[in-house]
Amino acid sequence: MAALYRHGWCGATGLVVPLLTLVSPGFLKLDGVGPAWGLLWLLPWALVDGPVSGAGAGLALGLVLDGLHLGPVSELPALVFLGWWWGRVGRRGPQIERSFSLGLLALLGSLVLGGTMLAQFAWLGEAGRPQLHTLLSQTLITALLAPMLCSLQLLLWRQQTAGLRG
Amino acid sequence: MPFGRSFRVTQLRSLGSLWPWLLVLLALVGVRLSKGAGFADAYALMTRPFWPGSAQGEWVRSAQQLGDQARLSQLEVDNQRLRHLLQLERGDSAFEGAAVISREPGGWWQQLLIGKGSLNGVGVGDPVLAPGGLLGRVASVTPTTSKVQLLTDGGSRLGVWLPRIRRHGLLTGVGTPRPLLRFLEKDPGARPGDVVVTSPASTLVPANLTVGVIQSVDDRAVPATEAVVQLSAPVQAVDWVQVRKGAR
């Protein structure tokens, strides 16, 4: 079933995630906080390519993004979990197509990611209102961008897998 | 008799015609007694368009700035020599200019990515400066880039000094644009507006670098007084920074 990961160029599009994280475009920020670019790429990938490929992509993204950030707090566990979960949603349920569904999945995913980060910051004794503000802002902006960006990617990946099966 | 009477009348008449001159004389006496009132004021009013204007003020100010700069550089050299004698600082530190290639002042981490790395001699812990003061310290390096932990980051801790009240404090990043200054004792006498500089005893960062200005003080904080500090270096606007290599 999983087919996208076999094509190098499909996986290479994931390089856009660290690039956008570093560029951090100011016009796509909500109160100084940018979206979780990793989630916006991972969601359509996992929905089309399944839980194993999704978890693998989450692992790869998590390793790269953790390398770009300060400190010991990691995005990796949440990204692996979300890749696996979204892969299952894509495989087991009815096909996800509607913008609202994509936005809702991105919102829940961003809450999970932010929640794990907040828990790690709390464990380090650094959690407070600024971190809660980051969680809420990032969740909102990610969920707002998801219908627009994820539906285009979903279309592209479905075209690719349809071509591969055909 | 008639002659004498007519003479007196003529005298009185001539005196009567002199009264305007007497008034002028009285006015002049008034001017004398009031040290030139009226005359000086009229002169000031008439010459106001020709008074030394802003151009001359700027001229004087630029001369003063030049003098201050020369004095400052002389004091810096002197200070460095003395610190070197006290072995607080190694003598082989140098500045390296670097471009800011990624900026993340908000969000989970507060960091910059600059375009100079280990190939240029930048090392972990090197202080990073911008116009206005200290920005942060290098947290990690790659061959051509360095990641800078800003003073606002939640993991940032820096010993600072308040010259006015001669007290030390610990500048702690909390993830907001304004870090928290934690004092070592209760009620140290800090006030909003006090300048915060790097500790003169520091061996991690250059001494006496401007960090910011105290914005508000909370004397009721537990266990000791806390203050909110507005940083002087504008993180959002800085495109180039200076890394002080080998300052540790």
Side-chain angles (χ1 to χ4, degrees):
Chain A
M1 254 325 243
L4 280 175
Y5 72 90
R6 288 186 193 152
H7 290 262
W9 75 268
C10 296
T13 57
L15 292 174
V16 174
V17 173
L19 191 70
L20 281 169
T21 306
L22 284 176
V23 172
S24 180
F27 61 94
L28 289 176
K29 283 184 176 175
L30 192 65
D31 205 12
V33 182
W37 293 109
L39 296 188
L40 293 175
W41 181 87
L42 185 65
L43 174 59
W45 178 278
L47 283 176
V48 173
D49 224 25
V52 177
S53 175
L59 179 72
L61 275 181
L63 288 172
V64 173
L65 291 178
D66 281 354
L68 295 176
H69 293 142
L70 292 168
V73 175
S74 173
E75 297 183 62
L76 195 141
L79 287 173
V80 171
F81 167 75
L82 289 171
W84 173 80
W85 176 51
W86 284 335
R88 270 173 64 93
V89 169
R91 282 279 182 273
R92 297 205 167 177
Q95 207 173 47
I96 305 282
E97 280 174 347
R98 298 175 76 91
S99 298
F100 178 78
S101 311
L102 286 170
L104 189 65
L105 282 175
L107 185 126
L108 290 173
S110 193
L111 275 177
V112 169
L113 177 70
T116 59
M117 305 276 281
L118 200 63
Q120 291 174 76
F121 276 112
W123 192 65
L124 290 171
E126 293 174 12
R129 279 179 64 185
Q131 282 72 27
L132 196 64
H133 163 261
T134 302
L135 188 154
L136 294 174
S137 301
Q138 192 167 62
T139 302
L140 273 175
I141 189 72
T142 307
L144 278 171
L145 287 174
M148 188 170 51
L149 298 178
C150 294
S151 54
L152 287 173
Q153 292 174 76
L154 207 59
L155 195 67
L156 179 69
W157 298 145
R158 284 202 173 129
Q159 279 175 351
Q160 290 301 314
T161 48
L164 290 168
R165 276 198 291 271
Chain B
M1 272 305 273
F3 174 77
R5 188 182 292 164
S6 66
F7 176 75
R8 277 201 296 275
V9 170
T10 317
Q11 241 179 351
L12 282 173
R13 274 187 188 155
S14 63
L15 273 176
S17 65
L18 280 177
W19 70 266
W21 296 109
L22 289 173
L23 278 181
V24 169
L25 190 68
L26 272 175
L28 290 176
V29 169
V31 169
R32 170 66 187 84
L33 291 176
S34 64
K35 300 281 182 192
F39 272 80
D41 297 326
Y43 171 75
L45 193 70
M46 281 188 295
T47 57
R48 190 171 286 271
F50 309 104
W51 281 10
S54 57
Q56 192 163 348
E58 279 166 22
W59 188 13
V60 171
R61 269 198 296 278
S62 72
Q64 193 176 5
Q65 274 173 6
L66 190 71
D68 287 349
Q69 272 173 4
R71 191 162 160 268
L72 182 69
S73 59
Q74 188 57 43
L75 286 171
E76 267 180 0
V77 169
D78 209 26
N79 195 9
Q80 205 163 10
R81 185 180 59 80
L82 292 170
R83 290 179 64 77
H84 191 56
L85 282 176
L86 290 169
Q87 295 182 331
L88 282 172
E89 209 169 273
R90 289 213 316 256
D92 54 352
S93 62
F95 285 102
E96 179 85 37
V100 176
I101 56 176
S102 172
R103 192 194 315 262
E104 195 64 54
W108 297 109
W109 299 274
Q110 285 73 38
Q111 61 180 37
L112 294 179
L113 194 68
I114 58 172
K116 291 279 172 72
S118 56
L119 289 177
N120 304 96
V122 178
V124 174
D126 285 351
V128 179
L129 296 96
L134 186 70
L135 269 185
R137 291 171 62 200
V138 173
S140 65
V141 288
T142 67
T144 58
T145 66
S146 303
K147 208 173 295 154
V148 180
Q149 183 180 42
L150 296 174
L151 294 177
T152 52
D153 186 72
S156 169
R157 305 279 185 277
L158 180 76
V160 291
W161 171 252
L162 276 85
R164 190 183 67 80
I165 56 170
R166 306 180 70 78
R167 289 279 188 283
H168 276 105
L170 186 68
L171 191 74
T172 313
V174 286
T176 56
R178 296 184 184 93
L180 212 57
L181 174 55
R182 294 196 163 104
F183 288 96
L184 306 176
E185 67 264 28
K186 266 278 194 204
D187 202 12
R191 284 200 307 248
D194 281 351
V195 175
V196 180
V197 299
T198 53
S199 170
S202 173
T203 52
L204 297 173
V205 291
N208 301 321
L209 275 177
T210 310
V211 172
V213 176
I214 289 187
Q215 198 185 34
S216 62
V217 180
D218 181 8
D219 280 322
R220 288 177 298 176
V222 177
T225 302
E226 289 179 353
V228 176
V229 175
Q230 172 69 53
L231 297 178
S232 53
V235 180
Q236 301 277 8
V238 169
D239 282 336
W240 282 83
V241 293
Q242 297 272 324
V243 185
R244 185 154 171 168
K245 298 188 293 184
R248 288 156 298 119

